[in-house]
């Protein structure tokens, strides 16, 4: 079904049907049908359709967020009368959806975040279902959730559409292993958005959180290397999707620029992650068509060039961006590399000759041979600078 309004109306109808028959649910709908309806709403959370009106998929996501919360409320309310409650709402499916609602609660659109926040608080305030093993349906990290979002034990005061209020709290949700990866993917979209009121608090909050993490952890506690691994795996799993890879690279670059990933080389997992980042960013550079992916890939290589264990690996790969077919990429690489060399503590200093090559070469020139010669000279000079200091 391609009509957005029609799809939204269908999704809005599902929870209404459930509410209408909830008092005698087992007589009207089988557990299999209820699960299918629940899963249909869950699938709607992945609708990011856009047209000339913008992110019209958000209409679908809002309807599905509200619908999922409504069904959970109805099922909990009539749980005592349902034979085999777990067949209607398996605990694993329940927690999967809670995590997905939380993801929407930390994504880039203010109105979607607000609806997701209200729906999540509605779920958080529910009493467990009246069944054996009811603890299986208790929200993970409930104590932390209440401290963050219900400090006065009131259902009021949710302000999820306000990034300054939300994101310093939201990053702490990464401490909950069951919802961690899903929430992280939502934060990635907020960090990469062009909306300053979302991007700025999301970025600063995530960077501050990561700087406080240990390099590694033995248990389920989050760590710098664990977060980097999750981001890298997310990108690798969707390597052909620019809509996933670009935000991940933007998030990694933001963390590098905020000095939040400087400890990565201290762990084996972190070192492996750095190798994967280099691979993602340097693969088929000359054949990349998406300018944003090229630019973010370039920044990954330059940022990793400032990390001692990766410097020698990254330096020759910078050439691929300095001689890229797109003049905009060549000049952007030279500019970013110069800024990094001037602003980062490298343990060595770039020579005046290297700086002159960066500043005085016409990187966007049509004289490709001259550009290639300058790129090779620059890399040789920087390699010499690294060796001599």
């Amino acid at each position: 079904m391609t009509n957005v309004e029609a799809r939204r109306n269908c999704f809005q109808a599902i929870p209404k049907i459930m509410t209408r028959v909830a008092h005698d649910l087992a007589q009207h709908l089988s557990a299999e049908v209820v699960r299918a309806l629940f899963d249909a709403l869950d699938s709607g959370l992945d609708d990011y359709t856009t047209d000339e009106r913008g992110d019209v998929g958000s209409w679908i996501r809002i309807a599905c967020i509200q619908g999922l919360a409504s069904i959970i409320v109805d099922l909990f309310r009539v749980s005592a009368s349902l034979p085999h409650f777990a067949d209607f709402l398996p605990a694993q499916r329940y927690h999967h959806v809670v995590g997905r609602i939380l993801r929407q609660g930390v994504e880039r659109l203010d109105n979607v975040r607000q609806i997701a926040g209200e729906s999540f608080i509605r779920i958080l305030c529910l009493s467990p279902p009246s069944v054996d093993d009811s603890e299986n349906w208790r929200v993970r990290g409930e104590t932390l959730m209440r401290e963050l979002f219900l400090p006065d034990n009131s259902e009021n005061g949710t302000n999820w559409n306000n990034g300054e209020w939300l994101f310093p709290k939201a990053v702490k949700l990464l401490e909950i292993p069951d919802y961690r990866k899903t929430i992280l993917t939502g934060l990635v979209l907020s960090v990469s958005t062009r909306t300053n009121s979302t991007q700025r608090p999301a970025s600063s909050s995530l960077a501050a959180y990561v700087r406080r993490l240990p390099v590694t952890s033995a248990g389920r506690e989050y760590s710098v290397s664990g977060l980097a691994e999750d981001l890298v795996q997310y990108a690798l799993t969707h390597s052909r999707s620019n809509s996933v890879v670009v935000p991940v690279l933007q998030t990694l670059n933001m963390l590098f620029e905020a000095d939040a990933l400087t400890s990565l080389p201290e762990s084996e997992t972190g070192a492996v992650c750095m190798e994967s980042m280099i691979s993602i960013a340097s693969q088929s550079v000359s054949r990349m068509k998406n300018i944003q992916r090229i630019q973010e890939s370039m920044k990954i290589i330059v940022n990793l060039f400032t990390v001692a264990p990766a410097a020698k690996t990254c330096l020759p790969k910078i050439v691929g961006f300095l001689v890229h077919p797109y003049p905009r990429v060549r000049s952007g690489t030279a500019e970013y590399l110069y800024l990094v060399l001037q602003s980062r503590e490298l343990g060595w200093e770039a020579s005046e000759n290297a700086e002159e090559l960066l500043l005085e070469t016409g990187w966007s020139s049509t004289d490709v041979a001259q550009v290639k010669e300058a790129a090779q000279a620059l890399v040789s000079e920087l390699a010499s600078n690294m060796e001599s200091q």
Side-chain angles (χ1 to χ4, degrees), residues 182-200:
T182 310
I183 292 170
L184 182 60
T185 60
L187 288 170
V188 163
L189 291 181
S190 288
V191 168
S192 63
T193 186
R194 295 179 181 178
T195 305
N196 188 56
S197 60
T198 297
Q199 188 273 336
R200 183 171 44 80

Side-chain angles (χ1 to χ4, degrees), residues 306-320:
T306 68
V307 182
K312 290 184 178 180
T313 302
C314 290
L315 182 55
K317 296 185 182 299
I318 293 175
V319 174

Side-chain angles (χ1 to χ4, degrees), residues 1-17 37 40-41 43-45 47 49 51 53 55-68 111-112 115:
M1 187 182 296
T2 58
N3 186 287
V4 175
E5 288 85 353
R7 294 207 310 277
R8 178 194 59 194
N9 294 342
C10 289
F11 283 124
Q12 288 176 335
I14 291 174
K16 293 179 181 178
I17 294 171
L37 294 173
L41 289 169
S43 69
L45 297 181
D47 194 318
T49 303
D51 63 16
R53 294 169 292 183
D55 183 2
V56 292
S58 65
W59 305 348
I60 305 294
R61 300 199 301 277
I62 286 173
C64 291
I65 291 166
Q66 293 173 321
L68 287 164
N111 61 327
V112 176
I115 295 297

Side-chain angles (χ1 to χ4, degrees), residues 14 22 33 37 48 86 105 135 138 147 223 235-236 243 246 248 257 262 314 321 324 341 348 355 357 369 380:
I14 291 174
V33 170
L37 294 173
Y48 288 86
E135 291 298 308
R138 190 176 290 279
E147 289 175 357
S223 63
L236 288 173
S243 63
V246 171
V248 169
E257 291 167 1
T262 54
C314 290
F321 297 97
H324 194 276
L341 290 174
W348 55 274
E355 292 180 0
L357 283 167
S380 297

Side-chain angles (χ1 to χ4, degrees), residues 150-352:
L150 298 172
D152 56 356
N153 295 317
S154 167
E155 293 187 33
N156 299 318
T158 54
N159 201 16
W160 292 58
N161 61 346
N162 183 337
E164 297 286 353
W165 177 88
L166 173 67
F167 288 110
K169 300 173 183 288
V171 293
K172 296 178 182 179
L173 299 179
L174 294 172
E175 296 173 15
I176 305 171
D178 295 73
Y179 308 139
R180 178 178 291 158
K181 292 182 180 180
T182 310
I183 292 170
L184 182 60
T185 60
L187 288 170
V188 163
L189 291 181
S190 288
V191 168
S192 63
T193 186
R194 295 179 181 178
T195 305
N196 188 56
S197 60
T198 297
Q199 188 273 336
R200 183 171 44 80
S203 297
S204 60
S205 298
L206 183 59
Y209 174 78
V210 175
R211 282 195 294 264
R212 294 193 297 268
L213 291 177
V215 179
T216 60
S217 63
R220 302 186 76 191
E221 181 185 7
Y222 219 11
S223 63
V224 175
S225 57
L227 180 138
E229 184 178 32
D230 287 342
L231 288 173
V232 166
Q233 286 302 316
Y234 184 43
L236 288 173
T237 304
H238 302 84
S239 60
R240 294 182 179 275
S241 173
N242 289 326
S243 63
V244 171
V245 176
V246 171
V248 169
L249 296 180
Q250 288 175 314
T251 301
L252 288 169
N253 281 318
M254 179 277 294
L255 292 173
F256 275 119
E257 291 167 1
D259 294 326
L261 297 179
T262 54
S263 61
L264 272 182
E266 298 174 20
S267 75
E268 183 178 349
T269 300
V272 171
C273 286
M274 289 168 59
E275 292 175 3
S276 297
M277 291 178 204
I278 294 171
S279 176
I280 293 169
S282 62
Q283 193 170 24
S284 305
V285 171
S286 63
R287 295 197 297 272
M288 286 185 191
K289 302 300 181 185
N290 184 286
I291 190 70
Q292 198 173 14
R293 180 163 179 170
I294 299 169
Q295 290 174 326
E296 294 304 323
S297 295
M298 172 271 291
K299 290 179 180 179
I300 287 290
I301 297 299
V302 173
N303 280 316
L304 284 169
F305 170 60
T306 68
V307 182
K312 290 184 178 180
T313 302
C314 290
L315 182 55
K317 296 185 182 299
I318 293 175
V319 174
F321 297 97
L322 288 171
V323 301
H324 194 276
Y326 295 168
R328 179 179 170 186
V329 173
R330 299 199 296 267
S331 58
T333 301
E335 179 180 351
Y336 190 73
L337 179 56
Y338 178 78
L339 290 173
V340 167
L341 290 174
Q342 293 295 308
S343 60
R344 302 284 182 84
E345 181 59 49
L346 304 174
W348 55 274
E349 290 186 8
S351 65
E352 290 185 7

